[in-house]
Amino acid sequence: MEFQEYHFLYRDVYFGMSYFAGQEVVYYQGNPIWSMCYSGGVDKEFEIEFVKEVYSFLRKAMRNVSADNPFRGPKEFVEGDYIYRDSNKGELGKFVGKETISFANEVVYSLHYSGGFIK
């Protein structure tokens, strides 16, 4: 996935579905200035329709990210039996974090991420 505006380019490259790994990179005038690596996914073998439902909920949570903590989603987002949680340490320049999704009080998805400014 790519998005470009003015002198900035954002690129997200990932592989996999139920379990996936990827990297996001922000470029300024063609030079990489920030990056985040991530890996994770659905923790157990579930029917593909349930996996799609989990990722649909994840996309909703990600649309609620705050400007002061822009790594993944909000600290917590709840909809029905789904609960998204994110915890992280650091700042935009250097950080690590983990997000989870629970369904009916059981963790069904987890992801670890880290990144920061490229020097």
Side-chain angles (χ1 to χ4, degrees), residues 23-79:
Q23 180 179 25
E24 299 177 6
V25 179
V26 175
Y27 298 83
Y28 178 71
Q29 295 182 337
N31 297 308
I33 60 169
W34 182 90
S35 180
M36 179 175 72
C37 297
Y38 56 88
S39 65
V42 176
D43 293 334
K44 297 179 183 176
E45 293 294 321
F46 291 108
E47 296 291 327
I48 191 66
E49 290 307 314
F50 180 73
V51 173
K52 289 179 182 178
E53 194 175 291
V54 169
Y55 290 142
S56 175
F57 172 74
L58 175 62
R59 286 189 295 278
K60 289 178 187 178
M62 298 288 279
R63 287 193 285 269
N64 289 283
V65 66
S66 66
D68 62 327
N69 196 21
F71 310 122
R72 293 289 292 168
K75 285 188 176 204
E76 186 171 278
F77 179 76
V78 179
E79 183 177 270

Side-chain angles (χ1 to χ4, degrees), residues 2-118:
E2 289 187 357
F3 175 79
Q4 186 166 6
E5 189 170 280
Y6 307 109
H7 296 291
F8 290 94
L9 169 67
Y10 164 83
R11 181 174 289 143
D12 184 1
V13 178
Y14 62 94
F15 302 92
M17 170 67 177
S18 291
Y19 184 87
F20 56 91
Q23 180 179 25
E24 299 177 6
V25 179
V26 175
Y27 298 83
Y28 178 71
Q29 295 182 337
N31 297 308
I33 60 169
W34 182 90
S35 180
M36 179 175 72
C37 297
Y38 56 88
S39 65
V42 176
D43 293 334
K44 297 179 183 176
E45 293 294 321
F46 291 108
E47 296 291 327
I48 191 66
E49 290 307 314
F50 180 73
V51 173
K52 289 179 182 178
E53 194 175 291
V54 169
Y55 290 142
S56 175
F57 172 74
L58 175 62
R59 286 189 295 278
K60 289 178 187 178
M62 298 288 279
R63 287 193 285 269
N64 289 283
V65 66
S66 66
D68 62 327
N69 196 21
F71 310 122
R72 293 289 292 168
K75 285 188 176 204
E76 186 171 278
F77 179 76
V78 179
E79 183 177 270
D81 288 332
Y82 285 99
I83 301 172
Y84 170 93
R85 289 191 175 101
D86 178 72
S87 63
N88 55 65
K89 295 178 188 176
E91 298 176 0
L92 197 56
K94 185 176 181 183
F95 60 89
V96 297
K98 180 180 179 180
E99 69 183 13
T100 61
I101 294 176
S102 298
F103 178 76
N105 296 318
E106 177 186 356
V107 174
V108 295
Y109 162 95
S110 64
L111 177 127
H112 289 87
Y113 60 91
S114 63
F117 292 125
I118 298 171

